[in-house]
């Protein structure tokens, strides 16, 4: 999922990355709506709310929404910045750094929320901010890795692309190519997994409160660890397949 | 190109400065809400004919001509004509736009805070009717 850059990526790589990160985003978004009454995986609504609060002169809300938007932006900035800063050490390492950072923040939210959260407004605002930072980080990471093909934290753009591509697929004067079929599969995958993530995020939050964020961190850990297990497995298989005399010579 | 970079950096500094300044200047809704609020009116925003609703209004705890006293330790006291009707706890959530009241008997009410300043508090109580109407409570301090 993370070891190939945008030029070497296969459809399977993109589908797996899209499915797992869309699940994480759906879980985070629904859990935060239930916990904090605030969306954290998309910022379209926050921009509209910012304009509304400015018009109403609710300056505390203006301040908070501005901070939230800046944190999402900073997350997106940082993910891309980190990838290009660490790329010399290998594609996999470069792509893993933002994922690890996201896992650390998610674990922090889960731990604080489960043990210390006393439902004050200040805590709510900063926890929402932390989750928006995570989603900015994740969206930018996925977008950078896939060359803008995949975005998994919101579905507005997805529905737009899906509508256009479905139209193209069914239009009698356009050709139904494999590229188009792959794109449609990708859109349906993101949509399904985002919805699936939302369902399990809401279900888990209502039963285990902030522990749900440990589960999100586990999903992201799977994203980071998957390629490593693939590489280890591949090397082990190669080793097993090698003739005995080669291994003896090596020893 | 350096000019464009400078423009972006300047805009960024201005936005961050504005946001941080607002943080110092603006008052937290948790502080504004403290004190004694006298209910001024209870109305249905979209219709004045409650019988039109499909929703069972008997399940709604109606607060009319009450005083709500918000305490510092997140306690709330419901008072009517000098008599204490009940007690509970209050929490503000979201970006400061959701008021959650929990009564002593565990009954929970959620309100959208439409306005909250030193003199006036307007709450919208969504009773699940969506487009069919929203109960609106107006308080004066």
């Amino acid at each position: 999922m993370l070891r190939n850059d945008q030029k070497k990526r296969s459809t399977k790589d993109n589908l797996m990355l899209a499915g797992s990160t869309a699940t994480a985003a759906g879980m985070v978004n629904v859990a935060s709506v239930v916990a904090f009454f605030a969306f954290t995986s998309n910022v379209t609504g926050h921009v509209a709310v910012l304009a509304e609060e400015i018009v109403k002169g609710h300056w505390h809300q203006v301040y908070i929404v501005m901070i939230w938007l800046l944190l999402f932006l900073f997350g997106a900035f940082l993910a891309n910045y980190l990838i290009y800063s660490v790329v010399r050490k290998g594609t996999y390492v470069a792509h893993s750094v933002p994922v690890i950072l996201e896992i650390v923040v998610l674990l922090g939210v889960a731990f604080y929320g489960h043990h210390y959260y006393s439902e004050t407004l200040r805590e709510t605002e900063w926890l929402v901010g932390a989750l928006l930072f995570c989603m900015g980080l994740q969206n930018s990471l996925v977008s950078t890795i896939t060359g803008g093909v995949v975005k998994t934290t919101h579905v507005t753009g997805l529905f737009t692309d899906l509508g256009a591509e479905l139209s193209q697929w069914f239009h009698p004067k356009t050709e139904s190519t494999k590229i188009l079929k792959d794109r449609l599969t990708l859109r349906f995958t993101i949509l399904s997994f985002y919805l699936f993530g939302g369902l399990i995020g809401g279900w888990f939050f209502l039963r285990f409160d902030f522990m749900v964020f440990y589960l999100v961190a586990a999903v992201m850990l799977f994203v980071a660890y998957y390629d490593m297990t693939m590489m280890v497995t591949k090397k082990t298989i190669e080793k097993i397949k090698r003739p005995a005399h080669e291994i003896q010579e090596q020893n | 190109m350096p000019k464009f970079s400078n423009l972006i950096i300047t805009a960024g500094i201005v936005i961050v400065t504005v946001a941080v300044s607002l943080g110092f200047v603006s008052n937290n809704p948790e502080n504004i809400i403290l004190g004694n609020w006298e209910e001024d009116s209870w109305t249905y925003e979209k219709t004045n004919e409650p019988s039109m609703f499909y929703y069972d209004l008997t399940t709604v705890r109606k607060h009319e001509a009450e005083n709500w006293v918000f305490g510092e330790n997140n306690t709330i006291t419901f008072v009517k004509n000098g008599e204490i009707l009940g007690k509970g706890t209050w929490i503000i959530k979201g970006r400061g736009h959701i008021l959650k009241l929990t009564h002593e008997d565990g009954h929970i009410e959620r309100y959208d805070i439409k306005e909250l300043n030193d003199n006036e508090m307007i709450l919208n109580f969504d009773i699940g009717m969506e487009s069919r109407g929203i109960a609106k409570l107006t308080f004066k301090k």
Side-chain angles (χ1 to χ4, degrees):
Chain A
M1 278 188 270
L2 301 178
R3 67 188 157 155
N4 292 329
D5 62 19
Q6 49 184 282
K7 289 170 195 161
K8 293 180 190 167
R9 294 190 73 79
S10 66
T11 306
K12 190 191 162 199
D13 287 338
N14 283 346
L15 281 174
M16 288 196 68
L17 184 67
S20 46
T21 53
T23 305
M27 288 171 77
V28 166
N29 204 26
V30 174
S32 61
V33 167
V34 179
F36 310 120
F37 293 90
F39 293 104
T40 51
S41 78
N42 54 330
V43 290
T44 316
H46 292 310
V47 175
V49 163
L50 177 69
E52 184 195 350
E53 300 293 14
I54 290 172
V55 170
K56 287 181 175 173
H58 295 166
W59 301 117
H60 179 80
Q61 281 82 346
V62 171
Y63 153 67
I64 288 304
V65 176
M66 278 179 87
I67 295 289
W68 286 352
L69 291 170
L70 287 171
L71 281 168
F72 189 92
L73 182 73
F74 180 61
F77 173 89
L78 193 62
N80 197 63
Y81 200 89
L82 285 171
I83 289 171
Y84 284 107
S85 302
V86 192
V87 77
R88 281 177 290 118
K89 294 188 176 178
T91 315
Y92 175 71
V93 175
H95 291 168
S96 299
V97 173
V99 177
I100 290 162
L101 184 58
E102 185 183 343
I103 291 169
V104 170
V105 178
L106 285 168
L107 290 176
V109 170
F111 185 77
Y112 186 89
H114 189 63
H115 294 283
Y116 302 108
Y117 181 52
S118 56
E119 296 193 282
T120 64
L121 186 57
R122 188 67 76 207
E123 287 174 303
T124 299
E125 288 161 353
W126 284 109
L127 288 171
V128 169
L131 292 172
L132 277 160
F133 169 76
C134 277
M135 292 297 100
L137 205 63
Q138 182 183 304
N139 209 31
S140 172
L141 162 83
V142 174
S143 184
T144 304
I145 293 178
T146 61
V149 175
V150 184
K151 287 190 180 76
T152 55
T153 65
H154 56 275
V155 290
T156 315
L158 179 98
F159 268 91
T160 313
D161 294 338
L162 188 61
E165 284 158 9
L166 278 173
S167 156
Q168 210 174 332
W169 183 262
F170 288 110
H171 199 283
K173 288 184 180 173
T174 55
E175 200 181 340
S176 303
T177 59
K178 188 183 177 299
I179 294 171
L180 190 57
K181 188 186 165 193
D182 287 347
R183 277 190 200 161
L184 280 169
T185 311
L186 185 68
R187 310 284 180 226
F188 284 123
T189 303
I190 296 171
L191 193 58
S192 315
F193 278 90
Y194 190 89
L195 185 63
F196 170 70
L199 291 173
I200 56 170
W203 190 86
F204 268 90
F205 190 87
L206 292 174
R207 277 152 191 83
F208 307 106
D209 68 68
F210 284 86
M211 304 266 273
V212 70
F213 292 106
Y214 286 124
L215 193 61
V216 184
V219 172
M220 293 312 292
L221 194 62
F222 166 74
V223 172
Y225 195 63
Y226 177 80
D227 287 329
M228 207 182 282
T229 55
M230 287 294 106
M231 281 191 273
V232 170
T233 313
K234 201 176 167 186
K235 279 183 182 171
T236 312
I237 291 169
E238 279 172 7
K239 210 172 179 180
I240 293 166
K241 281 182 178 173
R242 278 164 70 191
H245 68 270
E246 268 187 33
I247 298 168
Q248 277 170 357
E249 277 170 18
Q250 195 181 346
N251 292 335
Chain B
M1 283 312 230
K3 272 187 182 175
F4 189 61
S5 298
N6 290 341
L7 190 69
I8 294 171
I9 291 166
T10 309
I13 291 169
V14 169
I15 291 167
V16 171
T17 309
V18 169
V20 172
S21 307
L22 280 173
F24 284 111
V25 173
S26 64
N27 203 352
N28 189 323
E30 284 180 328
N31 297 328
I32 303 173
I33 207 167
L34 294 174
N36 187 353
W37 293 89
E38 186 184 347
E39 196 177 337
D40 195 43
S41 65
W42 166 290
T43 53
Y44 295 97
E45 275 198 317
K46 291 176 183 168
T47 173
N48 288 322
E49 182 49 70
S51 64
M52 284 173 67
F53 300 139
Y54 300 111
Y55 190 84
D56 180 11
L57 285 170
T58 56
T59 62
V60 176
R61 199 162 290 188
K62 201 170 179 182
H63 304 275
E64 273 187 308
E66 286 182 8
N67 278 44
W68 290 7
V69 185
F70 289 83
E72 277 193 7
N73 48 355
N74 289 82
T75 56
I76 181 169
T77 311
F78 303 98
V79 181
K80 192 169 186 177
N81 301 325
E83 187 188 334
I84 295 175
L85 297 176
K87 288 185 175 182
T89 56
W90 63 271
I91 289 168
I92 295 182
K93 287 210 165 188
R95 57 181 187 276
H97 72 297
I98 299 286
L99 174 66
K100 183 180 163 189
L101 303 180
T102 309
H103 290 259
E104 280 176 317
D105 59 4
H107 180 76
I108 293 173
E109 292 174 290
R110 283 193 196 91
Y111 296 90
D112 267 354
I113 302 173
K114 286 294 157 194
E115 186 57 60
L116 179 62
N117 56 48
D118 291 333
N119 307 310
E120 190 182 41
M121 174 166 70
I122 299 173
L123 305 176
N124 271 346
F125 179 40
D126 188 344
I127 51 181
M129 294 177 294
E130 295 174 353
S131 60
R132 279 166 271 158
I134 297 172
K136 178 183 167 191
L137 290 81
T138 308
F139 293 82
K140 302 282 179 198
K141 210 168 195 179

PDB file of all heavy atoms in Angstrom, chain A residues 78-92:
ATOM      1  N   LEU A  78       1.904  19.242   6.456  1.00  0.00           N
ATOM      2  CA  LEU A  78       2.951  18.467   7.117  1.00  0.00           C
ATOM      3  C   LEU A  78       3.159  17.095   6.464  1.00  0.00           C
ATOM      4  O   LEU A  78       4.292  16.650   6.298  1.00  0.00           O
ATOM      5  CB  LEU A  78       2.585  18.301   8.604  1.00  0.00           C
ATOM      6  CG  LEU A  78       3.685  17.791   9.516  1.00  0.00           C
ATOM      7  CD1 LEU A  78       4.866  18.754   9.539  1.00  0.00           C
ATOM      8  CD2 LEU A  78       3.159  17.588  10.928  1.00  0.00           C
ATOM      9  N   ALA A  79       2.065  16.437   6.089  1.00  0.00           N
ATOM     10  CA  ALA A  79       2.179  15.106   5.475  1.00  0.00           C
ATOM     11  C   ALA A  79       3.027  15.173   4.213  1.00  0.00           C
ATOM     12  O   ALA A  79       3.977  14.399   4.038  1.00  0.00           O
ATOM     13  CB  ALA A  79       0.783  14.565   5.152  1.00  0.00           C
ATOM     14  N   ASN A  80       2.685  16.106   3.357  1.00  0.00           N
ATOM     15  CA  ASN A  80       3.413  16.256   2.094  1.00  0.00           C
ATOM     16  C   ASN A  80       4.868  16.658   2.340  1.00  0.00           C
ATOM     17  O   ASN A  80       5.794  16.128   1.713  1.00  0.00           O
ATOM     18  CB  ASN A  80       2.701  17.310   1.241  1.00  0.00           C
ATOM     19  CG  ASN A  80       3.111  17.235  -0.203  1.00  0.00           C
ATOM     20  OD1 ASN A  80       2.880  16.227  -0.859  1.00  0.00           O
ATOM     21  ND2 ASN A  80       3.746  18.277  -0.699  1.00  0.00           N
ATOM     22  N   TYR A  81       5.051  17.573   3.299  1.00  0.00           N
ATOM     23  CA  TYR A  81       6.396  18.077   3.624  1.00  0.00           C
ATOM     24  C   TYR A  81       7.278  16.943   4.147  1.00  0.00           C
ATOM     25  O   TYR A  81       8.430  16.808   3.748  1.00  0.00           O
ATOM     26  CB  TYR A  81       6.281  19.196   4.666  1.00  0.00           C
ATOM     27  CG  TYR A  81       7.490  20.085   4.729  1.00  0.00           C
ATOM     28  CD1 TYR A  81       7.594  21.217   3.927  1.00  0.00           C
ATOM     29  CD2 TYR A  81       8.540  19.799   5.601  1.00  0.00           C
ATOM     30  CE1 TYR A  81       8.711  22.034   3.976  1.00  0.00           C
ATOM     31  CE2 TYR A  81       9.659  20.610   5.658  1.00  0.00           C
ATOM     32  CZ  TYR A  81       9.735  21.726   4.849  1.00  0.00           C
ATOM     33  OH  TYR A  81      10.836  22.530   4.890  1.00  0.00           O
ATOM     34  N   LEU A  82       6.702  16.130   5.022  1.00  0.00           N
ATOM     35  CA  LEU A  82       7.456  15.006   5.599  1.00  0.00           C
ATOM     36  C   LEU A  82       7.839  13.993   4.524  1.00  0.00           C
ATOM     37  O   LEU A  82       8.960  13.498   4.504  1.00  0.00           O
ATOM     38  CB  LEU A  82       6.617  14.312   6.683  1.00  0.00           C
ATOM     39  CG  LEU A  82       6.495  15.045   8.022  1.00  0.00           C
ATOM     40  CD1 LEU A  82       5.471  14.360   8.912  1.00  0.00           C
ATOM     41  CD2 LEU A  82       7.851  15.107   8.724  1.00  0.00           C
ATOM     42  N   ILE A  83       6.888  13.699   3.619  1.00  0.00           N
ATOM     43  CA  ILE A  83       7.157  12.711   2.563  1.00  0.00           C
ATOM     44  C   ILE A  83       8.362  13.145   1.726  1.00  0.00           C
ATOM     45  O   ILE A  83       9.295  12.373   1.502  1.00  0.00           O
ATOM     46  CB  ILE A  83       5.911  12.503   1.674  1.00  0.00           C
ATOM     47  CG1 ILE A  83       4.834  11.735   2.459  1.00  0.00           C
ATOM     48  CG2 ILE A  83       6.262  11.725   0.401  1.00  0.00           C
ATOM     49  CD1 ILE A  83       3.491  11.665   1.775  1.00  0.00           C
ATOM     50  N   TYR A  84       8.354  14.411   1.294  1.00  0.00           N
ATOM     51  CA  TYR A  84       9.455  14.878   0.446  1.00  0.00           C
ATOM     52  C   TYR A  84      10.757  15.053   1.229  1.00  0.00           C
ATOM     53  O   TYR A  84      11.841  15.018   0.650  1.00  0.00           O
ATOM     54  CB  TYR A  84       9.066  16.175  -0.279  1.00  0.00           C
ATOM     55  CG  TYR A  84       8.127  15.882  -1.424  1.00  0.00           C
ATOM     56  CD1 TYR A  84       6.777  16.204  -1.348  1.00  0.00           C
ATOM     57  CD2 TYR A  84       8.583  15.241  -2.571  1.00  0.00           C
ATOM     58  CE1 TYR A  84       5.904  15.902  -2.382  1.00  0.00           C
ATOM     59  CE2 TYR A  84       7.725  14.928  -3.613  1.00  0.00           C
ATOM     60  CZ  TYR A  84       6.389  15.267  -3.510  1.00  0.00           C
ATOM     61  OH  TYR A  84       5.531  14.954  -4.537  1.00  0.00           O
ATOM     62  N   SER A  85      10.651  15.235   2.545  1.00  0.00           N
ATOM     63  CA  SER A  85      11.861  15.383   3.357  1.00  0.00           C
ATOM     64  C   SER A  85      12.555  14.057   3.605  1.00  0.00           C
ATOM     65  O   SER A  85      13.762  13.988   3.766  1.00  0.00           O
ATOM     66  CB  SER A  85      11.513  16.021   4.707  1.00  0.00           C
ATOM     67  OG  SER A  85      10.906  17.259   4.523  1.00  0.00           O
ATOM     68  N   VAL A  86      11.768  12.980   3.672  1.00  0.00           N
ATOM     69  CA  VAL A  86      12.333  11.680   4.057  1.00  0.00           C
ATOM     70  C   VAL A  86      12.482  10.744   2.857  1.00  0.00           C
ATOM     71  O   VAL A  86      12.971   9.622   3.007  1.00  0.00           O
ATOM     72  CB  VAL A  86      11.416  11.030   5.148  1.00  0.00           C
ATOM     73  CG1 VAL A  86      12.088   9.837   5.800  1.00  0.00           C
ATOM     74  CG2 VAL A  86      11.046  12.028   6.221  1.00  0.00           C
ATOM     75  N   VAL A  87      12.087  11.200   1.658  1.00  0.00           N
ATOM     76  CA  VAL A  87      12.030  10.314   0.493  1.00  0.00           C
ATOM     77  C   VAL A  87      13.388   9.676   0.164  1.00  0.00           C
ATOM     78  O   VAL A  87      13.457   8.583  -0.401  1.00  0.00           O
ATOM     79  CB  VAL A  87      11.409  11.049  -0.724  1.00  0.00           C
ATOM     80  CG1 VAL A  87      12.417  11.999  -1.376  1.00  0.00           C
ATOM     81  CG2 VAL A  87      10.843  10.057  -1.718  1.00  0.00           C
ATOM     82  N   ARG A  88      14.494  10.325   0.549  1.00  0.00           N
ATOM     83  CA  ARG A  88      15.834   9.772   0.284  1.00  0.00           C
ATOM     84  C   ARG A  88      16.028   8.432   0.991  1.00  0.00           C
ATOM     85  O   ARG A  88      16.812   7.602   0.571  1.00  0.00           O
ATOM     86  CB  ARG A  88      16.911  10.762   0.756  1.00  0.00           C
ATOM     87  CG  ARG A  88      17.133  11.910  -0.214  1.00  0.00           C
ATOM     88  CD  ARG A  88      18.149  12.893   0.314  1.00  0.00           C
ATOM     89  NE  ARG A  88      17.628  13.637   1.456  1.00  0.00           N
ATOM     90  CZ  ARG A  88      18.163  13.593   2.668  1.00  0.00           C
ATOM     91  NH1 ARG A  88      19.212  12.882   2.889  1.00  0.00           N
ATOM     92  NH2 ARG A  88      17.643  14.286   3.644  1.00  0.00           N
ATOM     93  N   LYS A  89      15.310   8.241   2.095  1.00  0.00           N
ATOM     94  CA  LYS A  89      15.470   6.991   2.856  1.00  0.00           C
ATOM     95  C   LYS A  89      14.581   5.868   2.319  1.00  0.00           C
ATOM     96  O   LYS A  89      14.477   4.808   2.928  1.00  0.00           O
ATOM     97  CB  LYS A  89      15.164   7.253   4.327  1.00  0.00           C
ATOM     98  CG  LYS A  89      16.174   8.184   4.957  1.00  0.00           C
ATOM     99  CD  LYS A  89      16.010   8.306   6.438  1.00  0.00           C
ATOM    100  CE  LYS A  89      17.137   9.181   6.996  1.00  0.00           C
ATOM    101  NZ  LYS A  89      17.014   9.389   8.425  1.00  0.00           N
ATOM    102  N   GLY A  90      13.911   6.124   1.226  1.00  0.00           N
ATOM    103  CA  GLY A  90      13.066   5.091   0.614  1.00  0.00           C
ATOM    104  C   GLY A  90      11.602   5.488   0.614  1.00  0.00           C
ATOM    105  O   GLY A  90      11.147   6.206   1.512  1.00  0.00           O
ATOM    106  N   THR A  91      10.889   4.999  -0.400  1.00  0.00           N
ATOM    107  CA  THR A  91       9.475   5.358  -0.566  1.00  0.00           C
ATOM    108  C   THR A  91       8.639   4.879   0.620  1.00  0.00           C
ATOM    109  O   THR A  91       7.799   5.608   1.135  1.00  0.00           O
ATOM    110  CB  THR A  91       8.925   4.728  -1.869  1.00  0.00           C
ATOM    111  OG1 THR A  91       9.869   4.940  -2.895  1.00  0.00           O
ATOM    112  CG2 THR A  91       7.610   5.343  -2.266  1.00  0.00           C
ATOM    113  N   TYR A  92       8.902   3.645   1.034  1.00  0.00           N
ATOM    114  CA  TYR A  92       8.095   3.086   2.124  1.00  0.00           C
ATOM    115  C   TYR A  92       8.256   3.899   3.414  1.00  0.00           C
ATOM    116  O   TYR A  92       7.273   4.247   4.068  1.00  0.00           O
ATOM    117  CB  TYR A  92       8.475   1.619   2.366  1.00  0.00           C
ATOM    118  CG  TYR A  92       7.774   1.039   3.551  1.00  0.00           C
ATOM    119  CD1 TYR A  92       6.413   0.763   3.524  1.00  0.00           C
ATOM    120  CD2 TYR A  92       8.469   0.799   4.747  1.00  0.00           C
ATOM    121  CE1 TYR A  92       5.754   0.252   4.636  1.00  0.00           C
ATOM    122  CE2 TYR A  92       7.820   0.287   5.857  1.00  0.00           C
ATOM    123  CZ  TYR A  92       6.465   0.018   5.800  1.00  0.00           C
ATOM    124  OH  TYR A  92       5.825  -0.468   6.896  1.00  0.00           O
TER     125      TYR A  92
END
